[in-house]
Amino acid sequence: MNLMVFGAPGAGKGTQAKFLIEKYNIPQISTGDILRAAISEQTDMGMEAKKFMDEGKLVPDSTIIGIIKDRLAQDDCKSGFILDGFPRTLPQAEALKTLMDDMKISLDKVISLNVPDELIVGRITGRRVCPGCGASFHVEFNPSKIKDVCDYCGDKLVIRKDDNAETVKSRLGAYHAQTAPLIEFYTNMGVMVELDGTKDVSEVTKDMFNSLS
Ligand code: AP5
Ligand code: MG
Ligand code: ZN
């Protein structure tokens, strides 16, 4: 299964990707997580990307496409993968198409989680994330079993540096200007599934699995 979770910042992509990993036993490829790992390792790429991420802007396409090219070539992607937060621009979507054509594989489904902007700020400011495994929780809507401890790996949860009301505005701006046009791109490709992302986490998961069966 080659899947993509799609949606605005805070729509629930990372949250739902975790359930897909469990069910299909395929890796999640989150460009956001890969970039944050590069920042914590202080690589040149990470330091360059950090400037854009801290301002809520998109990292340049050339950097992102390079990351994905390397990642999809790894062995664990042979039986499928879940793209999360990639692609986010038309050039990225076109590069992905070329890459997958070359690999003789195709996308099975793009799962779009539709959540209006008004709900996004509350989701993002209450989020707690796991630096160990990338899992997301929410202090109110999706709390971890033990406060500030990851359910999956036991690491201490933290607040993401770009999770503040100010940066959220520019992230939403980037989403509407550069990423939302991909809905049409994937609808035309015949792989788009649009889900109501405002429902409870478990309801969204149920709808998602129904759309895949
Ligand atoms: P990235 O890490 O991808 O961030 P994002 O797109 O802003 O998305 P988020 O991770 O914030 O949201 P999510 O949809 O995963 O939501 P989550 O499941 O956590 O990217 C970060 C930055 O990196 C970008 O700004 C950019 O600079 C750069 N970047 C990354 N990829 C790039 C690319 N391809 N091109 C260029 N630049 C790139 O859920 C959010 C919260 O809501 C959580 O607290 C969760 O518990 C809660 N929640 C989830 N579902 C529900 C529900 N149904 N009801 C109530 N609460 C819920
Ligand atoms: Mg995420
Ligand atoms: Zn964890």
Side-chain angles (χ1 to χ4, degrees):
M1 252 321 189
N2 301 321
L3 301 172
M4 183 191 303
V5 279
F6 181 90
K13 303 182 292 294
T15 301
Q16 297 301 333
K18 288 281 177 238
F19 298 112
L20 293 170
I21 300 175
E22 280 174 14
K23 175 146 177 161
Y24 296 108
N25 204 14
I26 50 178
Q28 168 194 19
I29 303 177
S30 157
T31 39
D33 288 347
I34 294 171
L35 292 167
R36 280 183 288 277
I39 292 173
S40 67
E41 286 161 21
Q42 304 197 348
T43 67
D44 289 346
M45 185 268 279
M47 292 301 99
E48 187 55 32
K50 186 175 186 306
K51 296 181 218 156
F52 295 93
M53 294 169 75
D54 285 349
E55 288 182 22
K57 292 184 183 149
L58 295 184
V59 173
D61 287 337
S62 56
T63 305
I64 299 289
I65 292 165
I67 289 174
I68 287 291
K69 212 170 173 176
D70 292 346
R71 186 63 189 87
L72 290 186
Q74 289 173 20
D75 270 353
D76 64 337
C77 292
K78 287 216 163 68
S79 49
F81 47 80
I82 306 151
L83 296 170
D84 164 3
F86 172 88
R88 273 166 132 101
T89 64
L90 219 40
Q92 289 181 21
E94 278 156 0
L96 175 66
K97 174 87 175 62
T98 307
L99 202 57
M100 290 183 77
D101 285 348
D102 289 348
M103 296 169 78
K104 302 199 170 22
I105 55 175
S106 57
L107 269 175
D108 292 295
K109 283 273 182 322
V110 174
I111 297 163
S112 174
L113 304 171
N114 296 346
V115 178
D117 288 8
E118 310 84 82
L119 291 183
I120 295 290
V121 178
R123 283 197 181 186
I124 283 190
T125 49
R127 172 163 55 188
R128 299 292 180 271
V129 296
C130 174
C133 73
S136 279
F137 300 88
H138 192 283
V139 288
E140 185 185 345
F141 309 136
N142 184 26
S144 54
K145 291 190 182 102
I146 303 169
K147 190 173 181 287
D148 291 336
V149 176
C150 178
D151 286 358
Y152 299 94
C153 74
D155 269 14
K156 188 176 181 327
L157 302 179
V158 299
I159 297 177
R160 245 168 68 176
K161 189 158 190 298
D162 57 345
D163 278 353
N164 54 72
E166 202 41 55
T167 311
V168 172
K169 272 187 226 145
S170 46
R171 284 159 66 192
L172 279 171
Y175 172 77
H176 289 293
Q178 293 168 275
T179 310
L182 299 186
I183 295 173
E184 197 187 334
F185 183 92
Y186 289 111
T187 302
N188 292 341
M189 218 186 248
V191 290
M192 192 66 168
V193 182
E194 296 200 60
L195 300 183
D196 178 357
T198 67
K199 296 183 185 174
D200 283 351
V201 172
S202 60
E203 290 289 307
V204 178
T205 308
K206 214 188 315 169
D207 291 348
M208 176 174 73
F209 285 147
N210 282 339
S211 77
L212 291 171
S213 63

